[in-house]
Amino acid sequence: MIYTVTFNPALDYAVSVNEVSLGLTNRSTDEYIQTGGKGINVSVMLKNLGYDNTALGFIGGFTGQEIKKRVIESGCKCDFIEVDGLSRINIKIKSGSETEVNASGPMISEQAVSQLMEKIRKLHEGDCLVLAGSVSKGIPDTIYADIIKNTDKNVRVITDAAGNLLLNAIKEKPFLIKPNNYELSQIAGTDIGNDRKKALEYADILHEMGAENVLISFAGDGAAFSSASGLKLEADAPQGVVVDSVGAGDSMVAGFIAGWEESHDYAHAFKMGIASGSASTFSLGFAGRDKAEEIYKQINI
C-alpha cells in the first residue's frame, strides 16, 4: 500500500480577477475550491493513475471535515487525525500572474504526532510512504527525519520538502527526494538555474548525504534524475498549453511512484513522472492516466 502524509492540509480557494485593485472591492470572474497540501495532491494523482493509497495527516474543524470529504470523493482512502483548531484555507488570486496567501494552520500537539507515528510504525515491506510539504506550527524541522528513523527500513520513503526539513531527512537515507531547481540551489549554495547537467553534479552530493535517488524538477525546462548507482537521466518538458501549474510537482512524484510500482525501472518511472506532471499542468485539476500516457510517448531521455 502507498501512504501519503500531509501535516498541514488545506482548502485552496482560487479566484480569477481581471485586474486587482488594492484597497478596493474586486469582483471575481471565476472561482473554485480544491483540496491542497502536497501529500494529498500526490494521493489524488496516484488514484487518477490507478493506484489505491491512504492519505494520513492532521485535520481540524469544519475545513478539516471538508478536506476529508473531498479526499474520499476523489477515491482515496484516508486515516486523518483530528486536532483542535481549523485546517487552512489558502487563497490563490489569478490575475495574469498568480498571488498566493497561505494560512498557518492549527497547532499539532505531541500527542497527535505520537498517534501518527503509531500508524506509520505499522507499515511493512512493500509499502511506500510519501512525506510531502511543509509542517504545522510547533513541529520541529527534524520531524521527517524522525519519521524515517521510526519506519521499517524495508518501506520505500519518498520526501518532497524544502530547507532543513529536507536536509535532515536526507541523513536517514530516503528512497527518493524531489527538490526543484530552486530548492536544490538553496542546498548547493549556488544558482543552478535551468542547467540540468549542473544539477546532476550537485545530486552526487545529495547521494553522499544519504539520498538513494534524486528527482529534480525544472518546471517548463524539464527534469533530471540521478541514482546512487550512477544512473543519470534528463529530459525536456513536453510541449503543451499550460492551464494550471498547481500540483504539477506533486503529480510528478505520483507519476514516478506509479512508474516504479509497475516496472521497477528508473527510466520508466522518470518518464512517467514527467508525463504525469505535464499532464496535470495542461489540465484544470489533476490529469487522468490516459492523458499521462499520451504525453509519455513524447518524452525522450
Side-chain angles (χ1 to χ4, degrees):
M1 174 61 78
I2 303 168
Y3 297 84
T4 67
V5 175
T6 308
F7 267 82
N8 210 2
L11 292 175
D12 287 343
Y13 178 47
V15 295
S16 297
V17 180
N18 287 332
E19 183 177 350
V20 176
S21 299
L22 296 179
L24 299 176
T25 298
N26 296 272
R27 302 292 181 185
S28 68
T29 58
D30 184 43
E31 64 260 353
Y32 64 89
I33 296 175
Q34 65 183 23
T35 53
K38 294 178 72 62
I40 288 175
N41 291 346
V42 173
S43 277
V44 172
M45 188 61 187
L46 276 169
K47 186 61 181 178
N48 286 3
L49 293 172
Y51 284 85
D52 289 335
N53 65 90
T54 300
L56 304 174
F58 305 97
I59 55 172
F62 76 94
T63 47
Q65 292 305 312
E66 182 65 17
I67 290 167
K68 180 179 178 180
K69 172 175 166 286
R70 287 171 177 258
V71 169
I72 292 171
E73 288 175 347
S74 73
C76 300
K77 300 174 185 175
C78 62
D79 190 12
F80 293 121
I81 296 164
E82 295 190 17
V83 298
D84 294 333
L86 294 176
S87 293
R88 301 182 295 164
I89 297 177
N90 295 332
I91 303 169
K92 318 287 184 181
I93 304 171
K94 301 184 178 188
S95 181
S97 59
E98 183 172 302
T99 300
E100 298 187 12
V101 181
N102 289 345
S104 298
M107 291 286 292
I108 307 299
S109 67
E110 290 184 12
Q111 181 182 5
V113 172
S114 295
Q115 286 179 262
L116 176 65
M117 290 289 196
E118 283 301 313
K119 293 178 187 294
I120 292 173
R121 286 192 188 98
K122 296 176 182 177
L123 274 58
H124 50 73
E125 185 174 359
D127 288 336
C128 174
L129 177 65
V130 182
L131 306 173
S134 60
V135 296
S136 317
K137 292 182 292 187
I139 300 294
D141 58 19
T142 58
I143 187 63
Y144 285 171
D146 294 338
I147 289 174
I148 300 172
K149 283 180 190 176
N150 286 279
T151 301
D152 187 312
K153 297 305 178 186
N154 294 309
V155 172
R156 293 184 307 282
V157 179
I158 295 168
T159 306
D160 183 5
N164 288 332
L165 259 181
L166 178 61
L167 286 172
N168 290 325
I170 290 174
K171 299 171 187 175
E172 301 305 321
K173 303 181 179 179
F175 171 72
L176 176 76
I177 62 171
K178 196 217 73 68
N180 58 33
N181 56 331
Y182 174 73
E183 291 162 349
L184 185 58
S185 294
Q186 288 183 311
I187 294 171
T190 185
D191 184 13
I192 290 170
N194 298 321
D195 190 335
R196 297 196 300 254
K197 287 184 169 50
K198 187 175 182 180
L200 287 171
E201 292 175 7
Y202 280 100
D204 288 335
I205 298 173
L206 300 178
H207 293 313
E208 292 172 5
M209 293 171 63
E212 185 175 345
N213 299 295
V214 181
L215 176 61
I216 310 159
S217 58
F218 292 81
D221 292 295
F225 173 81
S226 177
S227 75
S229 62
L231 178 65
K232 307 284 186 185
L233 302 170
E234 58 177 294
D236 294 328
Q239 296 300 304
V241 177
V242 175
V243 176
D244 189 354
S245 61
V246 174
D250 308 321
S251 293
M252 175 181 276
V253 171
F256 186 96
I257 295 169
W260 179 257
E261 289 287 330
E262 61 199 20
S263 70
H264 282 208
D265 177 78
Y266 286 131
H268 174 62
F270 178 55
K271 289 177 67 175
M272 272 300 294
I274 297 172
S276 299
S278 297
S280 287
T281 300
F282 304 154
S283 305
L284 183 59
F286 294 99
R289 177 96 193 189
D290 289 348
K291 186 152 191 172
E293 289 182 342
E294 178 185 336
I295 293 173
Y296 180 98
K297 299 171 185 175
Q298 304 176 26
I299 301 168
N300 296 309
I301 59 176

